[in-house]
Amino acid sequence: MRYCKNCIIPDTKPGINLDKNGLCNACRNVNIKDKIDWSERKRDLSKIINKIKNENKEGAYDCIVPISSGGKDSWFQAYTMSKVFKCKVLCVNMVAHLPTSEGIHNINAMIKDLNVDIIKLTLKPSVHSKLRKNSFIKMGEPNWAEHCMVFAGVYNAAKIYNIPLIVWGEDISFEFGGLSKKQTSDASNLLHSNDLIKDKDVHDLADKSIDRGDLFFYKFPPMKEIRSTSIKSIYLGYFVNWNGESNYKFVKKRGFKGEQNKRSGHLVDYDNIDEKLCDINGWMKYLKFGFWYPTDELCYEIYNKRMKREEAAKLIRKLTEEFPSEFFSDFLNFHKITEDEFFDVANKFINKKIFKPNKNWWRLKYWP
Ligand SMILES: [Zn+2]
């Protein structure tokens, strides 16, 4: 396990490769972003939108903006598309089953602020809980089912309502270093082989107790169909200079609330605060790869020149070893598992190459 010399990302992260100078893909991309002509990119997006507006029938929606259940970035996306680019926007929210009070406040405040149409889709809790539980047991990644629900659900909504454009936020592979190496505007791979979906299909996790008819919104169309359809998927982060912290500052002035109580394993108070199940999912990454949210958040500070590597390296160990206990009982109850069952599964995913046993549990062997 080696760490990037500029940030503190480890090479255990899938898709990360350190170059001969010891720099990771994300750090190499930071410099690429500085050289981009953002006004040209903005004109490119205007061209795409003008074409849609010219072809659209009167009164039709120009684009879908997928909305998380009250996140800062989706607020910024919906603002940009509806107010800056003057699109007729339909927001689509695949509803989180356990929203936080901050999430509930923020999605309501966003709708009031932007005055846009929104469709909220809540999928059967019993099926969602089972799919999540199966993803947890088989892959050590409960949120895999969530990602299917969001990416396939939004695409299916675009199909049903015949809307030609889906505007996603940032390309996480590009921003945080991952499987895709080049920045691209085309987000159609989100539906198949991206970092979050990894070429699996929801049927791989649906056991016999789940009615196939209950999987409609989780199912991706074949890649051939996605490529040939007139529905276009793009990343807004390709066209405007995307920055999580400035998005936060921007929406804060419009009514967004950061977290009310400090959560374990987080440096910032505005990321992933809208629902209760994602922290345990993030923590599972720690067992497999030796890092989770603290590394992502500290690296983001480094990329944006708000923190030096030495300072991040000092903070990382304490934050990484904090267990996200705040919503742990919600996680257990939602998936109907006991604490012992949880750790029986979790312990199977501990990567023995990078962890060593210690008196209480296991400890990571390498730190930046
Ligand atoms: Zn780096």
Side-chain angles (χ1 to χ4, degrees):
M1 186 173 182
R2 290 189 309 143
Y3 289 90
C4 171
K5 281 189 178 155
N6 185 58
C7 66
I8 52 168
I9 212 112
D11 63 356
T12 46
K13 178 170 179 174
I16 282 289
N17 56 73
L18 303 180
D19 68 8
K20 60 179 189 316
N21 301 317
L23 297 183
C24 73
N25 337 11
C27 283
R28 302 198 294 270
N29 290 345
V30 169
N31 298 328
I32 294 172
K33 274 181 89 176
D34 289 343
K35 291 174 199 138
I36 290 170
D37 180 350
W38 290 105
S39 36
E40 194 188 323
R41 292 269 175 102
K42 205 174 162 187
R43 282 195 297 275
D44 291 343
L45 181 54
S46 295
K47 273 185 215 158
I48 294 171
I49 291 164
N50 289 340
K51 190 168 176 282
I52 287 171
K53 283 184 177 293
N54 288 334
E55 288 167 3
N56 253 352
K57 289 195 187 98
E58 207 189 327
Y61 289 108
D62 300 318
C63 65
I64 280 185
V65 175
I67 296 293
S68 67
S69 295
K72 68 187 194 318
D73 293 331
S74 37
W75 191 329
F76 177 76
Q77 276 158 253
Y79 170 85
T80 306
M81 294 315 292
S82 64
K83 304 292 183 265
V84 179
F85 289 96
K86 313 267 185 245
C87 286
K88 174 105 178 97
V89 168
L90 178 66
C91 293
V92 174
N93 170 228
M94 302 305 293
V95 176
H97 287 76
L98 296 185
T100 59
S101 54
E102 291 90 338
I104 295 167
H105 165 89
N106 287 333
I107 194 166
N108 290 337
M110 182 199 92
I111 297 303
K112 200 172 160 210
D113 172 46
L114 300 180
N115 193 29
V116 283
D117 292 346
I118 180 165
I119 285 185
K120 293 185 182 182
L121 271 165
T122 306
L123 303 188
K124 262 190 188 176
S126 62
V127 171
H128 196 60
S129 155
K130 266 187 212 161
L131 287 173
R132 284 188 54 99
K133 186 175 174 178
N134 291 347
S135 337
F136 171 59
I137 293 168
K138 286 191 185 170
M139 301 161 68
E141 192 180 344
N143 273 34
W144 187 88
E146 207 87 13
H147 300 318
C148 267
M149 172 179 93
V150 171
F151 297 127
V154 167
Y155 181 85
N156 285 318
K159 232 166 99 171
I160 292 166
Y161 292 99
N162 199 16
I163 301 174
L165 182 68
I166 306 172
V167 184
W168 300 96
E170 62 188 331
D171 178 356
I172 52 160
S173 296
F174 180 76
E175 297 280 335
F176 293 97
L179 299 178
S180 86
K181 303 206 165 43
K182 273 202 184 118
Q183 195 190 21
T184 168
S185 65
D186 178 12
S188 54
N189 71 342
L190 262 179
L191 295 160
H192 276 269
S193 51
N194 80 48
D195 286 14
L196 299 171
I197 298 297
K198 303 181 197 79
D199 280 330
K200 283 198 178 54
D201 189 272
V202 70
H203 290 109
D204 301 340
L205 291 166
D207 56 47
K208 287 202 178 80
S209 69
I210 295 174
D211 185 318
R212 290 302 181 259
D214 287 336
L215 297 177
F216 179 86
F217 278 105
Y218 293 94
K219 267 192 305 200
F220 299 101
M223 198 60 189
K224 222 170 112 192
E225 185 194 313
I226 297 173
R227 292 279 181 220
S228 63
T229 171
S230 55
I231 300 170
K232 206 175 158 72
S233 277
I234 58 168
Y235 291 113
L236 186 58
Y238 178 85
F239 298 99
V240 301
N241 198 353
W242 185 274
N243 183 295
E245 199 212 15
S246 28
N247 291 357
Y248 166 59
K249 284 184 178 156
F250 179 79
V251 298
K252 201 175 167 188
K253 282 189 219 139
R254 306 181 75 93
F256 180 91
K257 255 192 213 166
E259 70 185 8
Q260 301 304 296
N261 301 302
K262 167 89 182 80
R263 291 165 305 156
S264 308
H266 286 276
L267 177 77
V268 298
D269 66 355
Y270 53 76
D271 253 346
N272 298 303
I273 60 167
D274 45 308
E275 61 96 18
K276 297 178 178 175
L277 297 173
C278 64
D279 275 354
I280 293 292
N281 183 75
W283 182 78
M284 289 298 297
K285 265 200 327 198
Y286 170 48
L287 309 187
K288 297 183 206 170
F289 307 116
F291 79 98
W292 64 295
Y293 286 139
T295 298
D296 294 333
E297 292 178 14
L298 286 165
C299 283
Y300 205 65
E301 295 301 298
I302 298 174
Y303 302 150
N304 288 293
K305 302 177 179 64
R306 291 187 293 265
M307 193 183 278
K308 291 224 157 46
R309 189 184 191 277
E310 303 84 78
E311 199 188 332
K314 261 186 219 159
L315 295 170
I316 189 65
R317 186 165 184 155
K318 185 185 168 293
L319 283 171
T320 299
E321 289 186 338
E322 285 174 1
F323 180 75
S325 53
E326 288 79 3
F327 300 121
F328 185 45
S329 59
D330 295 285
F331 185 96
L332 299 177
N333 293 337
F334 187 75
H335 301 101
K336 299 188 175 63
I337 47 175
T338 65
E339 192 170 332
D340 286 345
E341 283 165 343
F342 173 85
F343 281 105
D344 281 349
V345 173
N347 289 347
K348 282 187 197 138
F349 288 95
I350 293 172
N351 181 344
K352 310 278 169 15
K353 285 185 200 145
I354 56 172
F355 278 87
K356 62 179 176 206
N358 90 335
K359 60 177 188 313
N360 296 323
W361 189 53
W362 291 79
R363 275 211 126 162
L364 190 65
K365 285 194 261 185
Y366 313 98
W367 295 94

